[in-house]
């Protein structure tokens, strides 16, 4: 079974065009300004290549109030910064490709249209997250991003990876939310990411869209968000943006070693900490583990730091998403017990079997 790893080869540099905003900060800060998500059709049925609102205004929105931060402001600042990565990815696709790029691959002739529609939904998420942050906190703007897009095929593969990653980090963020309304909003956004992924599983990958009874719950959302920093051009973020994600453990990145041939349950995988400047320290006398999350459960496998080969738990269904971390405690029961990762594995498309490698 062929395994395709996605690795970062920054072949293109894309950023939403920085257009000087003719609108004031006070206008942008007003949730009633501009097209309203759920009311305006631009977040669904706009088919231009140019970025729709608010994706065409990339500066952060500065606070217009001076009181205490809202209870979920930090959560939505992290989520908005992640959304700029995701929106900018689809916006790059909208600008680089056209309908023929995808029909040439033999995928349905609606593919480019769907990419634009997903891009529009992501623009709606930008606005929803801006509006969820109170007037007393900064609403982060866009950085410049680089994505390993080498053609329409790699774009579609990376889009699937981005959707499943979003679904996974939203299961963690919902656990951090203080307000019930935030929990509802995060769930509703996760459902939309899942629709995007369902579309691609059916139309692009030609597989069953079902992933078993539960998608994967992963509690440490910021660890996934941090992996998206691999797409950020270093030093390119607006200087007023808060650190992203916050807080961050800056964990070593975890990928499968290049001789790994399958990522399905029962397969042997080699671990690679692919950033030479950020390697885990394994202490003498301490036991280490790889904890695999799938559905609502996790399974722990002992790790020998001198060997770094482990078997993906055989008891998992070959469906949905498996998330792997290296931990110093079985079950990785606390944030601090995680020492590297996460690596994200999509089981639904065996010939793709994508692992997050940023
Ligand atoms: C941003 O796009 C919206 C439509 O989505 C448009 O009405 C608005 O003029 C654009 N703003 C800027 C600053 O380009
Ligand atoms: C897509 O772009 C290519 C290359 O620029 C062009 O030849 C082709 O006509 C375009 N197709 C459509 C449907 O616009
Ligand atoms: C798209 O494909 C469908 C069938 O798959 C076909 O009926 C339709 O004419 C095609 N549309 C275009 C614009 O090529
Ligand atoms: C959240 O929902 C629960 C259950 O309905 C309710 O008891 C609680 O008061 C709500 N919390 C807030 C802050 O509204
Ligand atoms: C580990 O990752 C690095 C960086 O991507 C790569 O150069 C190296 O070949 C990988 N090692 C293995 C064994 O896969
Ligand atoms: C990959 O190479 C390592 C080091 O040679 C070896 O221990 C491991 O068994 C290999 N893995 C696979 C899946 O062949
Ligand atoms: C993993 O599963 C174990 C056993 O059910 C549980 O104690 C632990 O809290 C789980 N880890 C996380 C991070 O949920």
């Amino acid at each position: 079974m062929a395994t395709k790893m996605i690795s970062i080869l920054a072949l293109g540099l894309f950023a939403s065009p920085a257009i000087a905003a003719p609108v004031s900060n006070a206008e942008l800060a007003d949730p009633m300004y501009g097209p309203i998500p759920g009311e305006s059709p631009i977040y669904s049925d706009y088919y231009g290549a140019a970025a729709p609102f608010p994706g065409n205004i990339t500066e952060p929105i500065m606070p217009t109030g001076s009181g205490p931060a809202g209870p979920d402001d930090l959560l939505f600042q992290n989520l908005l910064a992640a959304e700029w990565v995701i929106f900018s990815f689809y916006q790059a696709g909208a600008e680089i490709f056209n309908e023929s790029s995808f029909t040439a691959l033999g995928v349905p002739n609606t593919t480019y249209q769907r990419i634009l529609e997903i891009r529009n939904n992501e623009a709606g998420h930008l606005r929803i997250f801006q509006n969820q942050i109170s007037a007393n906190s900064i609403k982060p703007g866009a950085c410049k991003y680089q994505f390993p897009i080498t053609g329409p095929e790699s774009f579609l593969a990376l889009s699937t990876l981005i959707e499943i990653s979003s679904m996974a980090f939203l299961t963690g963020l919902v656990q951090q939310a203080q307000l019930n309304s935030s929990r509802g909003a995060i769930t509703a956004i996760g459902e939309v990411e899942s629709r995007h992924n369902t579309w691609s599983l059916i139309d692009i990958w030609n597989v069953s869209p079902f992933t078993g009874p539960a998608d994967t719950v992963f509690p440490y959302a910021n660890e996934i968000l941090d992996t998206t920093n691999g797409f950020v051009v270093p030093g390119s973020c607006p200087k007023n943006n808060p650190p992203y994600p916050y807080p961050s453990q800056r964990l070593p990145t975890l990928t499968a070693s290049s001789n790994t041939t399958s990522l399905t349950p029962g397969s042997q995988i080699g671990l690679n900490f692919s950033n030479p400047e950020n390697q885990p320290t394994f202490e003498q006398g301490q036991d280490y583990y790889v904890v695999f999350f799938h559905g609502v459960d996790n399974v722990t496998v002992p790790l020998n730091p001198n060997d770094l080969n482990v078997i993906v738990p055989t008891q998992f269904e070959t469906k949905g998403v498996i998330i792997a971390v290296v931990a110093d405690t079985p079950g990785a029961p606390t944030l601090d017990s995680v020492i590297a990762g996460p690596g994200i594995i999509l089981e639904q498309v065996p010939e793709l079997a994508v692992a997050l490698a940023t």
Side-chain angles (χ1 to χ4, degrees):
M1 196 178 295
T3 298
K4 187 170 172 207
M5 302 291 300
I6 298 219
S7 61
I8 292 298
L9 302 162
L11 294 182
L13 191 60
F14 307 104
S16 307
I19 299 165
V23 293
S24 69
N25 190 72
E27 283 173 312
L28 278 174
D30 176 2
M32 300 315 285
Y33 175 83
I36 294 178
E39 297 180 16
S40 168
I42 74 147
Y43 300 119
S44 299
D45 304 326
Y46 155 68
Y47 296 108
F53 180 87
N56 56 359
I57 303 170
T58 58
E59 287 304 304
I61 304 173
M62 300 308 288
T64 52
S66 57
D72 289 327
D73 281 1
L74 178 59
L75 184 166
F76 282 109
Q77 285 174 320
N78 284 328
L79 188 48
L80 176 55
E83 186 59 57
W84 276 115
V85 182
I86 297 167
F87 169 80
S88 301
F89 170 76
Y90 284 105
Q91 183 54 33
E95 291 173 22
I96 300 167
F97 302 118
N98 65 20
E99 190 181 316
S100 321
S101 322
F102 296 104
T103 50
L105 295 179
V107 295
N109 60 17
T110 47
T111 300
Y112 182 64
Q113 183 189 331
R114 295 281 175 267
I115 298 296
L116 296 179
E117 289 164 351
I118 295 174
R119 182 275 314 266
N120 300 343
N121 285 177
E122 303 301 349
H125 295 172
L126 287 173
R127 191 60 178 156
I128 290 167
F129 302 151
Q130 287 175 347
N131 293 345
Q132 291 281 332
I133 298 168
S134 81
N136 295 336
S137 298
I138 294 174
K139 307 174 189 207
C143 309
K144 291 195 170 62
Y145 306 99
Q146 50 196 350
F147 300 105
I149 301 171
T150 54
E153 223 163 357
S154 76
F155 177 84
L156 292 170
L158 193 52
S159 119
T160 302
L161 179 62
I162 285 177
E163 298 296 346
I164 59 170
S165 304
S166 314
M167 288 159 57
F169 68 63
L170 288 164
T171 67
L173 288 178
V174 74
Q175 300 181 46
Q176 298 173 12
Q178 304 292 311
L179 300 176
N180 290 343
S181 58
S182 302
R183 297 192 191 111
I186 291 167
T187 304
I189 300 294
E191 287 168 1
V192 166
E193 302 302 350
S194 165
R195 282 167 209 269
H196 297 163
N197 195 42
T198 302
W199 160 75
S200 77
L201 291 171
I202 295 174
D203 258 19
I204 306 296
W205 305 113
N206 212 13
V207 295
S208 162
F210 301 137
T211 56
D215 275 299
T216 295
V217 177
F218 184 72
Y220 310 130
N222 287 19
E223 293 178 354
I224 301 180
L225 296 182
D226 200 14
T227 66
T228 69
N229 271 317
F231 297 129
V232 176
V233 175
S236 71
C237 294
K239 65 178 193 316
N240 286 321
N241 266 18
Y244 165 78
Y246 189 83
S248 166
Q249 298 162 279
R250 301 270 173 249
L251 293 175
T253 51
L254 173 62
T255 64
S257 61
S258 51
N259 68 343
T260 298
T261 53
S262 172
L263 297 164
T264 55
S267 305
Q268 178 181 286
I269 60 173
L271 307 188
N272 188 11
F273 305 105
S274 48
N275 178 357
E277 275 146 36
N278 188 4
Q279 294 288 303
T281 13
F282 292 108
E283 280 159 29
Q284 287 290 337
Q286 167 72 52
D287 291 330
Y288 293 96
Y289 308 89
V290 180
V291 184
F292 293 90
F293 294 80
H294 184 244
V296 298
D297 289 327
N298 69 75
V299 170
T300 297
V301 172
L303 175 67
N304 174 355
N306 300 316
D307 171 73
L308 296 179
N309 291 297
V310 291
I311 307 283
V312 180
T314 50
Q315 56 267 59
F316 289 155
E317 276 191 290
T318 307
K319 285 189 178 299
V321 169
I322 296 176
I323 298 180
V325 297
V326 176
D328 62 12
T329 312
T334 62
L335 182 70
D336 289 343
S337 67
V338 180
I339 64 156
I344 299 188
I345 305 167
L346 175 65
E347 297 294 344
Q348 206 68 5
V349 186
E351 72 272 27
L352 190 67
V354 205
L356 193 62
T358 56

